[in-house]
Amino acid sequence: DNYAGWQGARVTVLDKLTYAGNRDNLPATHPRLEFVRGDICDAGLLRELLPGHDAVVHFAAESHVDRSLEGAGEFFRTNVLGTQTLLEAVLHTGVERVVHVSTDEVYGSIGEGSWTEDWPLLPNTPYAASKACSDLVARTYWRTHGVDLSITRCSNNYGPYQHPEKLIPLFVTNLLEARQVPLYGDGGNIREWLHVDDHCRGIHLVLQDGRAGEIYNIGG
Ligand SMILES: NC(=O)c1ccc[n+]([C@@H]2O[C@H](COP(=O)([O-])OP(=O)(O)OC[C@H]3O[C@@H](n4cnc5c(N)ncnc54)[C@H](O)[C@@H]3O)[C@@H](O)[C@H]2O)c1
């Protein structure tokens, strides 16, 4: 209700409820929320579900870097094939607007300074590579098929209900139990963080006013 232009909107959440998903993070019985358990790789389901929707905001992904180091298959299936399957369904069901939610990790790392949106994609992990692929897939649905689609690339998020495998909840819960915390490299890396509410405000702005085919970095 805080998002201008979308007060009173009805929302359908499609989520596979993998290990990362939790139905309790959404209101159990909200009159304008419909929850559907399903996979973005399920073309038939998407063709049934999408008609009547004005916009799709595409969050669904495998997102945990450490898991992608152990096994990347599911990352490429969901993040690349899932994005392509979703956008193909968008094309055939008359959805008018799409925001593809991506990550700044597609740029890799930088010694100092900041990236602009036309920086080369130099992902350093299978997770980041799968998101970079998904961005290119998304771009083609704009360029080839004219889908009104924008891409966002945000820095690391923190906030309520985050899965405890993610850095801040993992560190906090480990430290509360006087356990060690896992650091990459020599611990000298710097990461940028954004509260999830600020990320959502950025996505809302792009959904409302973003240009088709455009990429928007969302940073702190
Ligand atoms: N968390 C961050 O720091 C961050 C930063 C920038 C961008 N992002 C992007 O934001 C999005 C959401 O990130 P998150 O941290 O909430 O991820 P998450 O891993 O915590 O949650 C992913 C959600 O997607 C669902 N899902 C996974 N595979 C699916 C499939 N095949 N079909 C349908 N649903 C599926 C899961 O059940 C879960 O609810 C991702 O696209 C991610 O790349 C996240």
Side-chain angles (χ1 to χ4, degrees), residues 62-64 67-68 71-79 127 130:
E62 287 293 332
S63 75
H64 191 52
R67 284 178 189 263
S68 80
E74 203 52 34
F75 285 73
F76 285 87
R77 195 189 79 91
T78 286
N79 300 358
Y127 161 64
S130 70

Side-chain angles (χ1 to χ4, degrees), residues 21-193:
N22 182 356
R23 179 66 183 85
D24 292 337
N25 290 346
L26 296 168
T29 55
H30 192 290
R32 289 185 282 103
L33 177 74
E34 187 190 353
F35 182 85
V36 177
R37 184 169 192 182
D39 191 331
I40 55 164
C41 298
D42 184 344
L45 171 66
L46 293 166
R47 291 273 189 124
E48 270 176 39
L49 197 59
L50 290 186
H53 290 81
D54 301 317
V56 167
V57 184
H58 172 31
F59 290 94
E62 287 293 332
S63 75
H64 191 52
V65 171
D66 293 354
R67 284 178 189 263
S68 80
L69 306 178
E70 284 154 24
E74 203 52 34
F75 285 73
F76 285 87
R77 195 189 79 91
T78 286
N79 300 358
V80 185
L81 195 57
T83 297
Q84 187 271 326
T85 307
L86 177 62
L87 294 176
E88 192 67 25
V90 159
L91 195 60
H92 294 289
T93 52
V95 174
E96 285 166 11
R97 176 86 181 116
V98 179
V99 177
H100 171 65
V101 179
S102 189
T103 167
D104 67 353
E105 292 193 43
V106 298
Y107 300 120
S109 52
I110 193 170
E112 57 182 40
S114 56
W115 297 288
T116 53
E117 287 84 353
D118 49 12
W119 203 266
L121 299 181
L122 294 171
N124 285 329
T125 65
Y127 161 64
S130 70
K131 292 296 288 191
C133 293
S134 77
D135 288 13
L136 300 181
V137 168
R139 187 189 135 79
T140 65
Y141 275 83
W142 162 70
R143 192 71 176 85
T144 309
H145 298 295
V147 173
D148 181 355
L149 175 149
S150 308
I151 296 172
T152 61
R153 292 181 180 150
C154 188
S155 55
N156 294 281
N157 281 209
Y158 66 95
Y161 310 116
Q162 192 167 32
H163 194 284
E165 72 185 358
K166 296 278 168 66
L167 190 138
I168 289 182
L170 178 70
F171 275 36
V172 170
T173 50
N174 275 13
L175 291 171
L176 283 171
E177 294 168 7
R179 286 161 55 197
Q180 300 267 318
V181 294
L183 279 183
Y184 290 127
D186 64 3
N189 295 333
I190 295 174
R191 286 204 208 181
E192 167 153 305
W193 293 92

